[in-house]
Amino acid sequence: MKNSTLFVAFLACFLLITSCSDVYKFSLNHKKQVALNSNIDVTLKEQEDKPINSVQFFVNGKEISSEGNTVSINTTDLGVGKHQISALVFYPEKTKKENSFFEVLADKAPVVYGYNIVNEYPHDKTAYTQGLEYHDGFLYETTGRRGQSTLRKVEIKTGKVLQTVDLDKKYFGEGMTILNNKIYWLTWQAKKGFVYNLETFKQEKEFAYNQSAEGWGFTHNGTELIKSDGSSKIWFLDPETLKEQKSIQVYTNKYAVDNLNELELINGKIYANKYQQNAIVIIDPKTGVVEGIANLKSLKTEMEKTQKLVPQDEVLNGIAFDEENNRLFVTGKHWGKLFEIELIKKQ
């Protein structure tokens, strides 16, 4: 009986050891952060160096060519941001997928800009500015808050509202842009936007958001609509189907930049208000790199000389550009002035 018990114990121990020896434990070894335009080397490692048959590597779901258990990834085509690296491992009679992430940062610090005030114009203090755009000599503006959201055509020199239409009271209006004689207007959290006739301000249709959760800022590059959603992502939409086709992530050489709000495309770069920071970030639309930061905090201070502003609410928001005359306009939520400014690179 005693020998039988010892045999059973030995057999159990042998089976446990054998079973454990068949368990594969994988990891993906790589740097967690790298600079754009550099390579990142990724190695699939089995904890006890057990033999494997082959490995397939994927970046953001797309297979990349590799040899053996290691792959070198050029980040140039990825752009900045957080990216997923996956390895599909084939080993004796089994397969397993291992996932990890790495971040690509900008390879240089953004240029810092100050500003000069060129002109000041009146601006309606009741306008809780969400979107601002220059078109054919006029400003077009959208305002926010439920029950107060409007679309407006504004005379620049006087601030006079020439044409207006209210948004349904259940919606909180956000950014807008004009393309092909249509006005595209976002709402905040309703996951819905609207299209208006430029001349009549008559609503023609609506569209649903797809992957983005919210609507914040809107602009375009002539062929695509460009949308921010309050995160560090910027989305590109087909103007016909209004579907989100792709996105970029916005990063400096140190961190992701979120709370991107009102947008304007200027000389091929995306200018975005950083919500509550009274600043504008200048973004490369191909890579997501923040190439410049315009510090406009003292513009808010200038505004407060003649008007008391609600902290963290009545902030800088609104960028419009007159390409023909190279004029840059900015304003803020409930600001009584529209400023024409010139950005000055700091030494």
Side-chain angles (χ1 to χ4, degrees):
M1 185 69 176
K2 184 176 181 180
N3 289 340
S4 176
T5 302
L6 287 173
F7 175 76
V8 171
F10 172 79
L11 180 61
C13 183
F14 175 79
L15 290 174
L16 180 61
I17 293 171
T18 303
S19 175
C20 289
S21 67
D22 291 336
V23 175
Y24 280 63
K25 294 183 179 180
F26 300 107
S27 63
L28 286 168
N29 298 341
H30 55 84
K31 292 180 179 179
K32 298 303 180 184
Q33 290 185 331
V34 294
L36 185 66
N37 300 317
S38 65
N39 284 9
I40 177 170
D41 296 326
V42 182
T43 300
L44 177 84
K45 177 74 175 174
E46 201 288 317
Q47 185 172 289
E48 297 179 358
D49 292 324
K50 296 187 182 73
I52 62 174
N53 298 331
S54 62
V55 185
Q56 292 176 339
F57 287 96
F58 302 81
V59 174
N60 299 327
K62 295 182 179 180
E63 186 175 0
I64 55 175
S65 60
S66 62
E67 293 184 7
N69 297 0
T70 299
V71 65
S72 185
I73 302 167
N74 189 323
T75 63
T76 301
D77 295 331
L78 293 179
V80 294
K82 194 173 184 180
H83 300 281
Q84 183 185 61
I85 176 72
S86 304
L88 183 61
V89 191
F90 298 85
Y91 57 107
E93 299 182 359
K94 293 182 180 180
T95 61
K96 185 178 181 181
K97 194 172 187 180
E98 192 72 25
N99 296 316
S100 185
F101 294 88
F102 61 89
E103 275 188 308
V104 179
L105 306 177
D107 54 357
K108 57 185 176 181
V111 175
V112 178
Y113 292 87
Y115 68 94
N116 286 332
I117 297 175
V118 179
N119 283 305
E120 297 181 10
Y121 304 101
H123 181 250
D124 183 5
K125 288 183 181 180
T126 69
Y128 193 74
T129 305
Q130 300 288 68
L132 193 69
E133 188 153 332
Y134 177 92
H135 184 79
D136 286 347
F138 298 94
L139 285 180
Y140 290 78
E141 182 174 21
T142 49
T143 69
R145 292 187 168 169
R146 288 181 179 85
Q148 302 176 34
S149 299
T150 60
L151 166 64
R152 304 165 169 215
K153 180 179 181 180
V154 179
E155 190 174 65
I156 296 175
K157 289 186 177 181
T158 66
K160 181 180 179 181
V161 178
L162 304 175
Q163 190 175 354
T164 185
V165 66
D166 295 332
L167 188 63
D168 189 301
K169 291 183 178 181
K170 65 183 176 182
Y171 297 118
F172 191 120
E174 283 283 347
M176 56 76 65
T177 193
I178 299 169
L179 178 63
N180 298 328
N181 294 317
K182 305 292 182 185
I183 298 173
Y184 298 84
W185 188 7
L186 300 172
T187 65
W188 181 25
Q189 295 177 319
K191 295 184 72 67
K192 181 185 294 187
F194 300 96
V195 182
Y196 290 78
N197 182 282
L198 175 62
E199 299 300 325
T200 66
F201 277 18
K202 182 179 179 181
Q203 184 182 316
E204 296 183 346
K205 61 181 177 179
E206 61 183 53
F207 60 96
Y209 304 163
N210 306 130
Q211 301 173 71
S212 59
E214 296 181 355
W216 285 45
F218 227 10
T219 188
H220 70 85
N221 60 14
T223 58
E224 298 167 301
L225 299 172
I226 303 172
K227 173 181 182 288
S228 65
D229 63 3
S231 70
S232 58
K233 279 189 174 182
I234 290 180
W235 300 87
F236 294 77
L237 285 68
D238 183 308
E240 296 299 324
T241 66
L242 295 163
K243 301 295 184 183
E244 295 155 358
Q245 303 294 308
K246 62 182 180 181
S247 66
I248 56 172
Q249 301 175 68
V250 179
Y251 270 70
T252 69
N253 59 319
K254 294 182 179 179
Y255 49 77
V257 180
D258 60 3
N259 285 325
L260 298 170
N261 205 356
E262 218 273 308
L263 304 178
E264 183 78 11
L265 193 83
I266 302 176
N267 297 325
K269 306 297 181 181
I270 298 172
Y271 284 53
N273 282 124
K274 179 80 164 69
Y275 181 52
Q276 294 185 332
Q277 297 300 307
N278 297 293
I280 292 174
V281 294
I282 303 170
I283 305 158
D284 183 336
K286 294 181 180 179
T287 64
V289 168
V290 175
E291 296 184 340
I293 297 176
N295 184 350
L296 304 183
K297 290 182 180 179
S298 60
L299 193 62
K300 173 176 173 288
T301 303
E302 179 68 23
M303 190 68 248
E304 288 177 316
K305 291 179 180 179
T306 56
Q307 180 182 346
K308 185 176 181 181
L309 300 176
V310 177
Q312 306 304 312
D313 182 32
E314 295 175 344
V315 294
L316 179 81
N317 197 51
I319 310 168
F321 184 62
D322 172 8
E323 183 176 4
E324 183 179 353
N325 299 296
N326 193 35
R327 294 188 296 172
L328 175 62
F329 302 99
V330 297
T331 189
K333 300 171 185 287
H334 290 162
W335 285 21
K337 291 182 180 181
L338 171 79
F339 294 93
E340 180 188 340
I341 64 171
E342 175 188 15
L343 297 184
I344 306 296
K345 185 185 296 186
K346 291 189 174 180
Q347 300 298 325

